[in-house]
Amino acid sequence: MRQLTAPLSEEDVLSLRAGEHVLLSGVVYTARDAAHLRMMDCIAQGQPLPIELEGQVIYYAGPTPTPEGKPVGSIGPTTSTRMDASTPTLLAHGLRGMIGKGQRSKEVMRAMQEHPAVYFAAVGGAAALMAACVTSCEVIAWDDLGPESVKRLTLRELPLVVAADAYGQDAFSLGQADYLRSVR
């Protein structure tokens, strides 16, 4: 299993291949649907984004309320296709990685090749396990969005799979092809 630290460099991203398992540590940001809409509004109006996107990783998650003595509540991934409309623009602004669940659109896959980026899949249904990998959580922007606000997370060895790489390969298609070969 490969160890990576966010933020990610272009070299980090280009070294990854679909299907590879990684443990991600470092700083990532949460942002879901509402936060993505606000980021797109900022870009359209020429306003600064709440985070510098260069090299950053966005985790498509909205943590549950934080229990006493913990840095964060359960924090599982949300379905990534809901962010597909804004992802190519954010990749063009330097976003280097995304964490979520499910496949990505052809437009996102093309944009990940044009602006080298990686899409990691987190295990759905394992939100408590994911929370155990978060050592700190701080709201950075748009607190009025509640769980959908932008938060800075510090991670320690979050287990992920490279679901799509910067070369246009995705683990979903590769897994299906492997399965079909095995049953023939």
Side-chain angles (χ1 to χ4, degrees), residues 109-116 166:
M109 295 294 289
R110 275 194 296 275
M112 288 173 56
Q113 291 175 67
E114 185 178 340
H115 310 284

Side-chain angles (χ1 to χ4, degrees), residues 9-28:
S9 68
E10 185 172 333
E11 293 76 28
D12 290 331
V13 167
L14 292 173
S15 73
L16 297 168
R17 296 295 184 272
E20 191 171 357
H21 293 252
V22 302
L23 295 173
L24 184 65
S25 298
V27 173
V28 304

Side-chain angles (χ1 to χ4, degrees), residues 29-30 71 136-141 150-154:
Y29 295 88
T30 65
S136 70
C137 175
E138 174 189 5
V139 174
I140 298 301
V150 176
K151 296 170 187 65
R152 179 182 17 246
L153 302 178
T154 304

